Amino acid sequence: MQKEYIFYDNIGLDFPLSEEIELVKVASKGEYLVSNHPEAEAIIYAPEINFYLKQSNDTIAQKINNVTKLYAMRALGFDFAQDMDYSQEVGGKVLIVSEDASHEALKEELREDDFTVMLLSPSMILDVNGHIGDLHVTLKKEDELLELECDQIIWWNAPSFAMKQSGVYDPALLGLEGALKKLRDNKGEYHYKNYINYDPSICQYHERREEICGKCAEVCPTVAILKEDETKHLVFSHIDCHGCGGCISVCPSGALDYTQMPRIAFSHLCAYFKGATALIIPHKMDLGLIDIPLYEGVLPLMIEGEKYLHEAHLMTLLQTSGNPIIFYTDFISKGTGDVIRMINEIFERKYHKKAIYVCEDTADLARIFETMESFPECMYGINEDGLRKREIFSARLAHLVGDEDLGVVKAGEHVHYGDIKIDESKCTLCLSCVGACNVRALTAHPEDNSLRFNASICTNCTYCEVTCPEQECLTVVRDEISLKPSWFSQRIMAKDELFTCLECGMPFATVKAVEKIAAVMTPLFGNDEVKLRTLYCCAACKPKVMFKAHMENEMKGMNV
């Protein structure tokens, strides 16, 4: 039976590897899953394996064990991945946008490659829509608006609105050869994947009466996520998605998940880092430039989308490893940046140690190796199956806080946590706020007629505040995490007694609700005792009372 892992030894390995790994001395082809070298063909090429072997100061026994872990981590990502393969036909219609007349020569070069080419001045183009293989250009020629269709565009110093579309390449960024390579590689069939899974049931934008979220669309660098304002639906264009994951780190509820490393897969992956220090490196970073010995126990973790990690990911990794995390990257997304600052502040208060380091060069990395400290006391395991992003973070943070009061930390501009306040004297327990909350932070409890709230899983979206029908009853406390036990548990926000129908004795509303309606309607009903009595009757008894009074009046009339 063929093994799943292949190791192409072109470095003179001087110790054995696990029996799970096929060790070869020449480049080899086969149906392997993971390889350490591009010339050893496999579905997944994992460059971090050779990087680890070259740079690690681990003992030989540790290296044998850790190399197997690195293979297994890649296999785990493959097994849990939920991405699908799609393709788009791309024809040969190319638009060159440039003021430079010398690009006539480029036009001829592309024509020789069977492209159909048009050269336009950028001043003529008003807008670009669509995607690679189906781009629609609106242009103005003299006083006439024209529509042009093409498959790909080369545009020198292209404006941002054009660069958001797939199939638009800027030679000023890629170099002319790089842009031309893109054109030629894409022609025929363009392959792409879906990087995002979406659960509208917990989305804070989906079908709400008012726009209270939409962060994902705001941070999307392309046109992969659009908001339909009339219906409050999100529209996804997977072909335009770069897979950066920025939308996932700012999604407050966890409605978005990364298909190539779903949240539950990341949870399982963290188990490989127990007792180790994770050195997170986005794939876009050049491992060849990280030429520095790795401290003992440091394991690389390559990630595809450089921006998708959020608080539940990072907290799981910290509490599983018992060690700090090092993020080696030249860019931190808005959401991940907020989370790193927030978690670092929490760990500083609890352990007086830094939890997550960010660096982008080897000098910084060397300094981090010198100063970082472990915190095994934070280790904590939970079963994350079926839990949402907020629920995972809440359970983990609650364990870290324990019985202490560590004060308040601020959430961020792109990651929101908070609290609410309810004026119990004004709350009629109509439960509109419960209906507005789709993350189960606000819940109704018929067993004691109470309204309860768990701040730690609230997304701070404010939809409950705009839904509450009472004036100045419910207010939202924005962007604070209160590090004390009560913040993680359900608190009774309002409570009332049930009012029983004067006719049948059946409970039908709360005392406050009945009193409120009676206060509004009594002046309108005047001295009409029958109508006044209906204010204290259930829905079934109201018409009975009215009909009975009507019949009695009719009888009186007949007697007269």
Side-chain angles (χ1 to χ4, degrees):
M1 183 177 175
Q2 183 175 311
K3 299 174 181 176
E4 287 189 313
Y5 309 148
I6 182 169
F7 185 92
Y8 173 30
D9 182 13
N10 64 340
I11 57 176
L13 198 65
D14 56 359
F15 56 85
L17 294 177
S18 161
E19 291 183 354
E20 299 170 66
I21 304 167
E22 185 77 43
L23 182 64
V24 297
K25 294 291 185 182
V26 294
S28 177
K29 294 182 179 180
E31 295 180 354
Y32 297 100
L33 178 58
V34 185
S35 79
N36 70 312
H37 196 283
E39 293 181 17
E41 290 189 8
I43 296 173
I44 301 167
Y45 164 45
E48 68 272 23
I49 296 172
N50 278 6
F51 168 74
Y52 167 76
L53 285 171
K54 178 185 176 186
Q55 305 293 354
S56 178
N57 277 333
D58 283 344
T59 64
I60 288 178
Q62 288 172 323
K63 285 181 178 177
I64 293 171
N65 186 38
N66 285 335
V67 166
T68 306
K69 283 185 181 180
L70 293 173
Y71 275 100
M73 283 192 276
R74 284 306 191 109
L76 183 146
F78 179 82
D79 291 341
F80 278 86
Q82 297 174 354
D83 55 342
M84 303 283 287
D85 292 312
Y86 299 93
S87 64
Q88 165 71 40
E89 186 177 342
V90 179
K93 295 179 186 173
V94 171
L95 173 63
I96 297 175
V97 185
S98 173
E99 296 280 15
D100 191 341
S102 67
H103 291 142
E104 284 290 342
L106 173 62
K107 192 174 164 184
E108 291 306 315
E109 179 185 337
L110 287 170
R111 280 178 173 165
E112 289 175 6
D113 288 344
D114 291 330
F115 284 100
T116 303
V117 188
M118 178 177 281
L119 177 61
L120 290 177
S121 164
S123 61
M124 296 176 64
I125 299 178
L126 301 180
D127 199 9
V128 179
N129 284 298
H131 53 73
I132 185 171
D134 189 22
L135 289 164
H136 303 267
V137 181
T138 303
L139 58 95
K140 188 174 185 180
K141 188 176 183 181
E142 296 176 348
D143 291 331
E144 189 177 4
L145 290 180
L146 301 172
E147 293 291 326
L148 171 69
E149 294 183 358
C150 63
D151 295 289
Q152 300 184 80
I153 300 174
I154 285 189
W155 190 334
W156 270 263
N157 300 307
S160 59
F161 74 84
M163 291 301 292
K164 288 185 175 183
Q165 315 295 326
S166 57
V168 182
Y169 303 108
D170 186 349
L173 300 175
L174 299 174
L176 181 56
E177 286 307 312
L180 292 176
K181 185 175 187 309
K182 291 274 188 185
L183 288 190
R184 291 172 177 133
D185 289 347
N186 294 337
K187 189 180 177 185
E189 202 166 20
Y190 178 76
H191 297 277
Y192 64 100
K193 293 178 179 290
N194 62 314
Y195 291 103
I196 298 168
N197 269 346
Y198 173 56
D199 178 1
S201 71
I202 56 172
C203 172
Q204 305 300 292
Y205 176 81
H206 184 72
E207 295 185 352
R208 301 233 150 162
R209 295 189 308 280
E210 297 187 21
E211 182 173 331
I212 57 169
C213 193
K215 281 285 183 185
C216 54
E218 291 171 17
V219 302
C220 180
T222 67
V223 290
I225 306 178
L226 295 175
K227 296 182 291 187
E228 284 188 345
D229 288 336
E230 288 188 4
T231 61
K232 296 290 188 296
H233 281 194
L234 293 177
V235 180
F236 295 88
S237 172
H238 295 299
I239 196 169
D240 289 308
C241 177
H242 294 172
C244 70
C247 56
I248 295 165
S249 62
V250 299
C251 178
S253 63
L256 298 177
D257 199 9
Y258 200 62
T259 59
Q260 296 197 319
M261 183 58 75
R263 200 164 52 244
I264 191 62
F266 192 87
S267 173
H268 288 290
L269 182 144
C270 288
Y272 291 107
F273 285 91
K274 188 174 182 178
T277 297
L279 174 60
I280 300 176
I281 308 170
H283 275 274
K284 65 173 187 170
M285 302 298 287
D286 186 350
L287 283 179
L289 299 179
I290 313 176
D291 189 11
I292 177 175
L294 300 181
Y295 266 39
E296 188 174 337
V298 174
L299 265 183
L301 170 56
M302 302 292 287
I303 59 170
E304 291 290 341
E306 66 274 13
K307 303 178 184 176
Y308 78 90
L309 294 175
H310 53 60
E311 60 269 36
H313 290 126
L314 296 173
M315 201 65 158
T316 300
L317 187 50
L318 287 165
Q319 289 191 322
T320 306
S321 69
N323 284 297
I325 296 169
I326 307 171
F327 212 142
Y328 191 96
T329 182
D330 59 359
F331 182 82
I332 288 288
S333 72
K334 294 173 180 175
T336 307
D338 277 353
V339 166
I340 290 174
R341 179 198 53 74
M342 199 169 71
I343 291 179
N344 273 338
E345 190 170 343
I346 293 168
F347 270 66
E348 287 283 357
R349 293 190 184 199
K350 177 71 179 185
Y351 303 115
H352 309 292
K353 295 175 184 175
K354 193 168 184 175
I356 304 169
Y357 296 84
V358 179
C359 63
E360 59 178 304
D361 58 47
T362 53
D364 279 346
L365 187 55
R367 282 191 286 272
I368 292 168
F369 284 153
E370 291 289 342
T371 57
M372 65 180 185
E373 298 178 81
S374 298
F375 28 70
E377 60 273 33
C378 88
M379 294 178 77
Y380 180 56
I382 62 171
N383 181 359
E384 296 186 357
D385 279 349
L387 295 183
R388 298 168 177 173
K389 166 184 173 179
R390 292 259 164 172
E391 293 167 341
I392 295 168
F393 186 65
S394 169
R396 293 191 169 281
L397 187 56
H399 178 268
L400 184 145
V401 171
D403 297 328
E404 297 183 67
D405 184 347
L406 301 175
V408 172
V409 297
K410 288 289 183 184
E413 181 183 354
H414 304 281
V415 175
H416 299 288
Y417 281 84
D419 206 337
I420 65 170
K421 292 179 180 177
I422 291 180
D423 185 339
E424 191 171 6
S425 66
K426 297 177 180 176
C427 176
T428 59
L429 267 81
C430 70
L431 304 182
S432 298
C433 56
V434 175
C437 181
N438 62 359
V439 295
R440 303 188 294 239
L442 276 160
T443 49
H445 293 262
E447 67 274 17
D448 62 354
N449 306 311
S450 67
L451 169 66
R452 302 185 191 187
F453 176 66
N454 184 337
S456 67
I457 57 176
C458 168
T459 60
N460 214 214
C461 74
T462 72
Y463 196 47
C464 56
E465 187 177 41
V466 300
T467 302
C468 178
E470 309 300 335
Q471 290 291 321
E472 298 179 348
C473 174
L474 190 157
T475 53
V476 173
V477 180
R478 294 185 63 84
D479 298 334
E480 289 183 358
I481 294 181
S482 181
L483 300 173
K484 58 184 179 183
S486 61
W487 197 75
F488 301 95
S489 59
Q490 283 191 329
R491 307 192 318 255
I492 294 178
M493 308 300 289
K495 196 174 179 181
D496 200 359
E497 300 296 325
L498 290 181
F499 189 91
T500 55
C501 175
L502 293 183
E503 288 292 310
C504 68
M506 184 180 74
F508 70 96
T510 62
V511 171
K512 287 179 186 172
V514 172
E515 289 177 345
K516 180 187 175 186
I517 294 171
V520 172
M521 300 303 295
T522 296
L524 300 176
F525 290 169
N527 296 322
D528 190 328
E529 293 183 0
V530 176
K531 286 186 177 179
L532 290 173
R533 185 173 178 80
T534 63
L535 294 173
Y536 304 96
C537 296
C538 68
C541 290
K542 284 180 193 292
K544 292 179 184 175
V545 171
M546 296 294 291
F547 184 74
K548 182 181 175 184
H550 174 75
M551 293 303 294
E552 288 174 354
N553 285 335
E554 287 290 314
M555 292 297 292
K556 288 178 183 175
M558 290 175 67
N559 290 335
V560 171

